Amino acid sequence: MQRRQGRVNAGLLLLLYQISQVGLQNIPSVTLAVLVLNIFLFLNPVRPLHEVCISVNEGFYRQNWQRLLLSPVHHADDWHLYYNMISMLWKGIMLERKLKSVWFAYIIAVFSVLIGVVYMALEFMLVKILNDPSYEMNCAVGFSGVLFALKVLNNHYNPGRVSSVLGLQISSKYACWVELVAIHLISPGTSFAGHLAGILVGLMYTMGPLKKIMKVCAGAVTSFTDPDRPRDYYSGYSDYYYRYPEYQYTTPRNYYDYTGGLTEEEQLERAVLNSLNERDFGGATYNNERRPYGFWFPPEQNSEEEVRRQRLRRFDRR
């Protein structure tokens, strides 16, 4: 194992062990890429930390905008890396499967830059409100701001859960705010404004206009689909329609209209329940037999003349 700052990185070793326990095959691609990128830059930093951290002085006044990209993926030490990447591991597994990899990667990229901008805005406000120029020099580094934003998203897509914060059972809706205060009290050296910036960006996505703006910006790219709305069932066949204009096609309806907004699991559950209700309560019986599952056609009703002929044939055979 490589050494950093002349010592063995115990936090990094523990992180690699935790990843191996989960299994690389069980980690979605974008989440795994974020983990690998942060570990690689921890072992091989692009620049020293004081040259990649973001602050009002460096980012705004000196216009070192590259720090918006570099600061989230660099960490102060191995334990800083460990706690952030363990959090990223579990949040990424849940959110990437929900939002799909392309959109999740888009979110990570936008959040990483936007949180740095919001962080500088918060620090600039503190300078004006408290009349303390020292806030312009506060320089933040690390992925924790993005993680707070992802926590807001995770709570939004999985409502009604309860989180444990310092042994207290807190509704997931408010857990990020409690953690914001708790972390600052336990570790005063952490960036309160950086974590708050992450929460604000997450709320801008779930409750504000950020999600709509991101969709508009990505509208020209066909692979960027709305994660909350199923894709058009016929979208992959548009070329086929235009290739054969002589054949009359009706305008295809959107698949969303047929499903009523239900997911595949909800549609399956609804179909099973309807089938059971139809069989047990609404199904007619013939010869004391229940209707079978699947397609079913009632027996044909013979005419009176056909019934009379069948009776005569049975009488003749006797």
PDB file of all heavy atoms in Angstrom, residues 66-82:
ATOM      1  N   GLN A  66     -11.234  26.755 -11.487  1.00  0.00           N
ATOM      2  CA  GLN A  66     -10.920  25.339 -11.534  1.00  0.00           C
ATOM      3  C   GLN A  66     -11.049  24.678 -10.159  1.00  0.00           C
ATOM      4  O   GLN A  66     -11.238  23.470 -10.045  1.00  0.00           O
ATOM      5  CB  GLN A  66      -9.507  25.132 -12.078  1.00  0.00           C
ATOM      6  CG  GLN A  66      -8.430  25.830 -11.256  1.00  0.00           C
ATOM      7  CD  GLN A  66      -7.057  25.702 -11.852  1.00  0.00           C
ATOM      8  OE1 GLN A  66      -6.846  24.896 -12.749  1.00  0.00           O
ATOM      9  NE2 GLN A  66      -6.115  26.498 -11.369  1.00  0.00           N
ATOM     10  N   ARG A  67     -10.982  25.492  -9.108  1.00  0.00           N
ATOM     11  CA  ARG A  67     -11.128  24.948  -7.761  1.00  0.00           C
ATOM     12  C   ARG A  67     -12.532  24.390  -7.521  1.00  0.00           C
ATOM     13  O   ARG A  67     -12.720  23.556  -6.646  1.00  0.00           O
ATOM     14  CB  ARG A  67     -10.798  26.025  -6.726  1.00  0.00           C
ATOM     15  CG  ARG A  67      -9.328  26.453  -6.729  1.00  0.00           C
ATOM     16  CD  ARG A  67      -9.046  27.437  -5.618  1.00  0.00           C
ATOM     17  NE  ARG A  67      -7.643  27.879  -5.608  1.00  0.00           N
ATOM     18  CZ  ARG A  67      -6.852  27.843  -4.541  1.00  0.00           C
ATOM     19  NH1 ARG A  67      -7.316  27.384  -3.387  1.00  0.00           N
ATOM     20  NH2 ARG A  67      -5.612  28.268  -4.612  1.00  0.00           N
ATOM     21  N   LEU A  68     -13.516  24.881  -8.269  1.00  0.00           N
ATOM     22  CA  LEU A  68     -14.864  24.336  -8.147  1.00  0.00           C
ATOM     23  C   LEU A  68     -14.894  22.864  -8.520  1.00  0.00           C
ATOM     24  O   LEU A  68     -15.705  22.090  -7.993  1.00  0.00           O
ATOM     25  CB  LEU A  68     -15.833  25.126  -9.036  1.00  0.00           C
ATOM     26  CG  LEU A  68     -16.122  26.568  -8.626  1.00  0.00           C
ATOM     27  CD1 LEU A  68     -16.958  27.262  -9.689  1.00  0.00           C
ATOM     28  CD2 LEU A  68     -16.808  26.616  -7.271  1.00  0.00           C
ATOM     29  N   LEU A  69     -14.022  22.458  -9.430  1.00  0.00           N
ATOM     30  CA  LEU A  69     -13.950  21.057  -9.853  1.00  0.00           C
ATOM     31  C   LEU A  69     -13.002  20.244  -8.985  1.00  0.00           C
ATOM     32  O   LEU A  69     -13.238  19.057  -8.741  1.00  0.00           O
ATOM     33  CB  LEU A  69     -13.500  20.974 -11.313  1.00  0.00           C
ATOM     34  CG  LEU A  69     -14.423  21.610 -12.359  1.00  0.00           C
ATOM     35  CD1 LEU A  69     -13.758  21.563 -13.729  1.00  0.00           C
ATOM     36  CD2 LEU A  69     -15.770  20.897 -12.394  1.00  0.00           C
ATOM     37  N   LEU A  70     -11.931  20.875  -8.509  1.00  0.00           N
ATOM     38  CA  LEU A  70     -10.904  20.134  -7.782  1.00  0.00           C
ATOM     39  C   LEU A  70     -11.216  19.957  -6.295  1.00  0.00           C
ATOM     40  O   LEU A  70     -10.886  18.921  -5.711  1.00  0.00           O
ATOM     41  CB  LEU A  70      -9.553  20.844  -7.937  1.00  0.00           C
ATOM     42  CG  LEU A  70      -8.987  20.909  -9.356  1.00  0.00           C
ATOM     43  CD1 LEU A  70      -7.684  21.707  -9.373  1.00  0.00           C
ATOM     44  CD2 LEU A  70      -8.757  19.517  -9.918  1.00  0.00           C
ATOM     45  N   SER A  71     -11.839  20.944  -5.680  1.00  0.00           N
ATOM     46  CA  SER A  71     -12.040  20.874  -4.229  1.00  0.00           C
ATOM     47  C   SER A  71     -12.908  19.702  -3.769  1.00  0.00           C
ATOM     48  O   SER A  71     -12.606  19.091  -2.730  1.00  0.00           O
ATOM     49  CB  SER A  71     -12.626  22.196  -3.721  1.00  0.00           C
ATOM     50  OG  SER A  71     -13.874  22.471  -4.323  1.00  0.00           O
ATOM     51  N   PRO A  72     -13.983  19.309  -4.480  1.00  0.00           N
ATOM     52  CA  PRO A  72     -14.801  18.199  -3.967  1.00  0.00           C
ATOM     53  C   PRO A  72     -14.087  16.853  -3.970  1.00  0.00           C
ATOM     54  O   PRO A  72     -14.443  15.973  -3.181  1.00  0.00           O
ATOM     55  CB  PRO A  72     -16.013  18.178  -4.917  1.00  0.00           C
ATOM     56  CG  PRO A  72     -16.025  19.502  -5.578  1.00  0.00           C
ATOM     57  CD  PRO A  72     -14.599  19.912  -5.678  1.00  0.00           C
ATOM     58  N   VAL A  73     -13.112  16.655  -4.839  1.00  0.00           N
ATOM     59  CA  VAL A  73     -12.505  15.327  -5.000  1.00  0.00           C
ATOM     60  C   VAL A  73     -11.139  15.225  -4.327  1.00  0.00           C
ATOM     61  O   VAL A  73     -10.393  14.283  -4.590  1.00  0.00           O
ATOM     62  CB  VAL A  73     -12.396  14.963  -6.496  1.00  0.00           C
ATOM     63  CG1 VAL A  73     -13.774  14.741  -7.090  1.00  0.00           C
ATOM     64  CG2 VAL A  73     -11.661  16.051  -7.278  1.00  0.00           C
ATOM     65  N   HIS A  74     -10.807  16.167  -3.481  1.00  0.00           N
ATOM     66  CA  HIS A  74      -9.589  16.086  -2.677  1.00  0.00           C
ATOM     67  C   HIS A  74      -9.983  16.090  -1.205  1.00  0.00           C
ATOM     68  O   HIS A  74     -10.951  16.744  -0.816  1.00  0.00           O
ATOM     69  CB  HIS A  74      -8.639  17.258  -2.982  1.00  0.00           C
ATOM     70  CG  HIS A  74      -7.936  17.142  -4.291  1.00  0.00           C
ATOM     71  ND1 HIS A  74      -8.544  17.446  -5.490  1.00  0.00           N
ATOM     72  CD2 HIS A  74      -6.671  16.748  -4.601  1.00  0.00           C
ATOM     73  CE1 HIS A  74      -7.693  17.245  -6.481  1.00  0.00           C
ATOM     74  NE2 HIS A  74      -6.535  16.828  -5.977  1.00  0.00           N
ATOM     75  N   HIS A  75      -9.211  15.374  -0.387  1.00  0.00           N
ATOM     76  CA  HIS A  75      -9.534  15.226   1.027  1.00  0.00           C
ATOM     77  C   HIS A  75      -8.318  15.528   1.900  1.00  0.00           C
ATOM     78  O   HIS A  75      -7.176  15.315   1.480  1.00  0.00           O
ATOM     79  CB  HIS A  75     -10.075  13.830   1.308  1.00  0.00           C
ATOM     80  CG  HIS A  75     -11.419  13.587   0.693  1.00  0.00           C
ATOM     81  ND1 HIS A  75     -11.570  13.215  -0.627  1.00  0.00           N
ATOM     82  CD2 HIS A  75     -12.669  13.664   1.226  1.00  0.00           C
ATOM     83  CE1 HIS A  75     -12.863  13.079  -0.889  1.00  0.00           C
ATOM     84  NE2 HIS A  75     -13.550  13.338   0.212  1.00  0.00           N
ATOM     85  N   ALA A  76      -8.610  15.980   3.121  1.00  0.00           N
ATOM     86  CA  ALA A  76      -7.544  16.423   4.015  1.00  0.00           C
ATOM     87  C   ALA A  76      -6.684  15.269   4.513  1.00  0.00           C
ATOM     88  O   ALA A  76      -5.469  15.400   4.634  1.00  0.00           O
ATOM     89  CB  ALA A  76      -8.148  17.184   5.202  1.00  0.00           C
ATOM     90  N   ASP A  77      -7.311  14.126   4.835  1.00  0.00           N
ATOM     91  CA  ASP A  77      -6.553  12.972   5.317  1.00  0.00           C
ATOM     92  C   ASP A  77      -7.335  11.698   5.013  1.00  0.00           C
ATOM     93  O   ASP A  77      -8.424  11.744   4.407  1.00  0.00           O
ATOM     94  CB  ASP A  77      -6.252  13.077   6.814  1.00  0.00           C
ATOM     95  CG  ASP A  77      -7.500  13.308   7.646  1.00  0.00           C
ATOM     96  OD1 ASP A  77      -8.510  12.620   7.422  1.00  0.00           O
ATOM     97  OD2 ASP A  77      -7.487  14.194   8.524  1.00  0.00           O
ATOM     98  N   ASP A  78      -6.774  10.555   5.410  1.00  0.00           N
ATOM     99  CA  ASP A  78      -7.379   9.279   5.046  1.00  0.00           C
ATOM    100  C   ASP A  78      -8.718   9.051   5.736  1.00  0.00           C
ATOM    101  O   ASP A  78      -9.621   8.433   5.162  1.00  0.00           O
ATOM    102  CB  ASP A  78      -6.422   8.123   5.348  1.00  0.00           C
ATOM    103  CG  ASP A  78      -5.934   8.136   6.784  1.00  0.00           C
ATOM    104  OD1 ASP A  78      -5.864   9.227   7.379  1.00  0.00           O
ATOM    105  OD2 ASP A  78      -5.613   7.059   7.321  1.00  0.00           O
ATOM    106  N   TRP A  79      -8.898   9.540   6.969  1.00  0.00           N
ATOM    107  CA  TRP A  79     -10.179   9.352   7.650  1.00  0.00           C
ATOM    108  C   TRP A  79     -11.247  10.273   7.078  1.00  0.00           C
ATOM    109  O   TRP A  79     -12.430   9.912   7.044  1.00  0.00           O
ATOM    110  CB  TRP A  79     -10.013   9.577   9.150  1.00  0.00           C
ATOM    111  CG  TRP A  79      -9.220   8.481   9.789  1.00  0.00           C
ATOM    112  CD1 TRP A  79      -7.968   8.562  10.298  1.00  0.00           C
ATOM    113  CD2 TRP A  79      -9.641   7.113   9.946  1.00  0.00           C
ATOM    114  NE1 TRP A  79      -7.568   7.335  10.772  1.00  0.00           N
ATOM    115  CE2 TRP A  79      -8.572   6.431  10.576  1.00  0.00           C
ATOM    116  CE3 TRP A  79     -10.791   6.416   9.618  1.00  0.00           C
ATOM    117  CZ2 TRP A  79      -8.628   5.076  10.879  1.00  0.00           C
ATOM    118  CZ3 TRP A  79     -10.861   5.061   9.925  1.00  0.00           C
ATOM    119  CH2 TRP A  79      -9.794   4.411  10.544  1.00  0.00           C
ATOM    120  N   HIS A  80     -10.857  11.438   6.623  1.00  0.00           N
ATOM    121  CA  HIS A  80     -11.779  12.318   5.905  1.00  0.00           C
ATOM    122  C   HIS A  80     -12.271  11.608   4.642  1.00  0.00           C
ATOM    123  O   HIS A  80     -13.482  11.600   4.335  1.00  0.00           O
ATOM    124  CB  HIS A  80     -11.059  13.628   5.553  1.00  0.00           C
ATOM    125  CG  HIS A  80     -11.956  14.669   4.955  1.00  0.00           C
ATOM    126  ND1 HIS A  80     -11.471  15.694   4.165  1.00  0.00           N
ATOM    127  CD2 HIS A  80     -13.294  14.853   5.021  1.00  0.00           C
ATOM    128  CE1 HIS A  80     -12.476  16.453   3.785  1.00  0.00           C
ATOM    129  NE2 HIS A  80     -13.588  15.966   4.280  1.00  0.00           N
ATOM    130  N   LEU A  81     -11.359  10.988   3.928  1.00  0.00           N
ATOM    131  CA  LEU A  81     -11.716  10.223   2.733  1.00  0.00           C
ATOM    132  C   LEU A  81     -12.608   9.040   3.094  1.00  0.00           C
ATOM    133  O   LEU A  81     -13.614   8.774   2.416  1.00  0.00           O
ATOM    134  CB  LEU A  81     -10.445   9.724   2.042  1.00  0.00           C
ATOM    135  CG  LEU A  81     -10.651   8.789   0.845  1.00  0.00           C
ATOM    136  CD1 LEU A  81     -11.159   9.563  -0.364  1.00  0.00           C
ATOM    137  CD2 LEU A  81      -9.343   8.061   0.500  1.00  0.00           C
ATOM    138  N   TYR A  82     -12.267   8.331   4.164  1.00  0.00           N
ATOM    139  CA  TYR A  82     -13.013   7.122   4.541  1.00  0.00           C
ATOM    140  C   TYR A  82     -14.486   7.436   4.822  1.00  0.00           C
ATOM    141  O   TYR A  82     -15.387   6.806   4.253  1.00  0.00           O
ATOM    142  CB  TYR A  82     -12.376   6.471   5.771  1.00  0.00           C
ATOM    143  CG  TYR A  82     -13.232   5.381   6.377  1.00  0.00           C
ATOM    144  CD1 TYR A  82     -13.293   4.116   5.790  1.00  0.00           C
ATOM    145  CD2 TYR A  82     -13.990   5.623   7.522  1.00  0.00           C
ATOM    146  CE1 TYR A  82     -14.088   3.111   6.330  1.00  0.00           C
ATOM    147  CE2 TYR A  82     -14.783   4.620   8.073  1.00  0.00           C
ATOM    148  CZ  TYR A  82     -14.835   3.373   7.473  1.00  0.00           C
ATOM    149  OH  TYR A  82     -15.620   2.392   8.018  1.00  0.00           O
TER     150      TYR A  82
END
